[in-house]
Amino acid sequence: MAKNLNRIEKFLARVKLMHKQKHQTVFFLSAPSAAGKDGLWKYISKMKYDKKYNLYKPVSTTCRLPRLDETCGKDYYYVYKEMIVDENNNPQPNVISPLMFGSEHGREVWYCFTKEELTKSIRLKKSLVFIINGSMVAFYKDYFYKNFPWIKCITTCWTISEQAQKVKFYRRDPSKTKEELDKIYESRIPERKMYDELIEKKVFDYVDDASISLKKWKHKQYKKKYGKK
């Protein structure tokens, strides 16, 4: 693979290879907050690579509130906490290994995937783009191998420098004050350390840098495909 490819081009190169070899694959992508994980799928959809390479992104479920640019059923399924875990924080029957990640307005924020969502996508015989927290990569990789042994798993991590992450945090939610954004940034220190440890343990097949802005590159791709200036 060419060394000068950016992180999205490298990810797509792996997708193209597995598609060419006719492997049904789960492409795991994991990265710290603000590294552009969700942006990858928006790009794939915009360029219609999901149809070209028979890809599907399972929609996860959360009890946090939707952000301004998010849509229920497309970005996440938004539900009450009680639909994910019970009063003792045990998972509900249709939930696979829920993860509590921070809080919002004084309430715990939980994320999970449902058995129904994963089974549906597998039955469609599509390859999955599975965007997931790094701490859950080993669990879900094992889950797919045990329940769908014919599926190949490929894991990728995008790293991001502290400086680049801070800049993206501050751009992502301009409605918040600097003090609020500083608190959010500081709260992500354990997450950054976790990814450093996972990379050191070689949990991921591939590690690519997400610190470099792709704005000009993506604009060029859109212009080429849609003729937009």
Side-chain angles (χ1 to χ4, degrees), residues 150-206:
W150 64 90
I151 291 179
K152 185 175 179 64
C153 294
I154 295 178
T155 58
T156 298
C157 177
W158 285 354
T159 61
I160 184 169
S161 67
E162 292 184 26
Q163 182 180 2
Q165 187 186 44
K166 193 170 187 176
V167 169
K168 289 188 177 183
F169 268 137
Y170 287 27
R171 287 178 179 171
R172 188 164 68 179
D173 198 344
S175 65
K176 285 186 169 59
T177 65
K178 183 180 183 302
E179 289 72 23
E180 289 174 322
L181 291 167
D182 283 340
K183 287 182 180 179
I184 294 172
Y185 174 73
E186 292 299 324
S187 71
R188 296 297 188 266
I189 291 176
E191 181 191 48
R192 294 195 295 271
K193 289 182 179 178
M194 176 194 72
Y195 276 98
D196 289 341
E197 291 172 0
L198 292 173
I199 290 169
E200 187 176 348
K201 292 178 181 177
K202 298 183 179 180
V203 169
F204 306 102
D205 301 317
Y206 302 97

Side-chain angles (χ1 to χ4, degrees), residues 40-83:
L40 169 72
W41 184 254
K42 290 177 182 177
Y43 179 78
I44 287 174
S45 301
K46 180 74 174 179
M47 301 300 286
K48 297 182 171 32
Y49 289 140
D50 52 334
K51 294 180 176 60
K52 184 175 182 179
Y53 300 115
N54 201 30
L55 300 173
Y56 180 80
K57 176 182 173 290
V59 180
S60 60
T61 297
T62 183
C63 60
R64 73 162 170 79
L65 296 174
R67 295 176 184 143
L68 292 176
D69 59 342
E70 292 179 341
T71 304
C72 185
K74 180 180 178 182
D75 297 288
Y76 294 93
Y77 293 115
Y78 302 96
V79 301
Y80 293 111
K81 174 191 171 183
E82 293 73 20
M83 298 176 70

Side-chain angles (χ1 to χ4, degrees), residues 26 28 93-97 113-120 122 128 130 132 136-149 151 153:
V26 179
F28 290 93
N94 193 42
V95 166
I96 304 171
S97 192
F113 285 93
T114 63
K115 295 177 183 178
E116 179 184 12
E117 177 68 11
L118 295 188
T119 302
K120 176 185 70 176
I122 294 296
L128 308 186
F130 207 72
I132 190 173
M136 300 301 292
V137 168
F139 170 85
Y140 274 104
K141 188 175 180 180
D142 187 57
Y143 176 85
F144 279 105
Y145 278 138
K146 285 182 178 178
N147 293 278
F148 312 101
I151 291 179
C153 294

